Amino acid sequence: MQPEDVWGNRWHESTLAMAKRYMTVACEKQSLVCLAADRNTMSGLFELLEQVGPHIAALKTHVDLIDDWSAEKWSEFCVAAKQYNLLIFEDRKFADIGKISRSQMAGIYDIRSWSNIVTAHLISGPDIVDGLQSAWQDVGREGGVLLLAQMSSRGNLLSVDYCDSVVAKGVVSAGVLGFIGNGSRPEELAELRSKVGDSKMIWTPGVNLATGDGEMGQRYGDPGDAVLAGSDCIIVGSGIHRADNPAAMAKQYAEASWKALLER
Ligand code: S5P
């Protein structure tokens, strides 16, 4: 199946190269799953990648939570990840002014050199997107920024007005891949989709086949419902990495997401 047939307006209206790359990978792998690879050892990460690599379109990392991180091991890990035909997404949630965010893309972790996607809050204003895009340009690479428009955790401070401002600024920003939306509340998500329109992606955490409350205020909704409500990528962590059989589970999430996309 050709991505333009599967994605329709999202394909035609997306201008960022990274958006088309994601949509192409999702079709090749028939999966809208981004694995939140929240393991805190390098061996744990390698093991998880080997198990679920074939079933996911993107791999989300928190590079700063790994106990035995080293630059050498990390670059080996990124090479291994790329062999599975997936995008690498560092969920750094940048929030500082543009020039500092640009510098934070370098530093010890050198996120600009291996990430395809990063997250950012827009609390400091729209220049953060230019800062992050400049960092990728500094090393001759391209990437896409996901702005946090909603969050999945209870009691978060991203009000409807704040979300509307993020969307208004984000949809007109060339370097923005799309938005993080709340996958645990399909009705809020559908509203977000109507505000965003077709030109940007919505990626959603807070998704699990077992819906309800998670640890420390996390909330979960159903993956198929999230896609039907307008999510383009389901971000799944513990639903996969804590399962007895992560590979079988990842396959199940992939099938649910792909089926919902075709239905949508
Ligand atoms: O609002 C949010 C935004 C993000 S990016 N809520 C989230 O949970 N996340 C991330 O998604 C979080 O950092 C974690 O890596 C993942 C959810 O993991 P799970 O184990 O709850 O599925």
Side-chain angles (χ1 to χ4, degrees), residues 36-38 60 62 89 91 93 119 148 150-153 180-182 205-208 218-220 235-239 241-242:
D38 297 332
K60 186 173 86 64
H62 284 297
F89 162 15
D91 187 12
K93 298 185 179 74
T119 37
L148 284 114
Q150 296 177 335
M151 290 197 76
S152 62
S153 45
I180 294 290
N182 173 15
V207 163
N208 200 298
Q218 177 69 302
R219 301 170 299 184
Y220 292 116
I235 299 173
V236 186
S238 36
H241 67 72
R242 292 238 186 98

Side-chain angles (χ1 to χ4, degrees), residues 172-189:
V172 294
S173 176
V176 169
L177 171 74
F179 304 93
I180 294 290
N182 173 15
S184 74
R185 295 282 183 276
E187 56 294 346
E188 282 175 30
L189 194 53

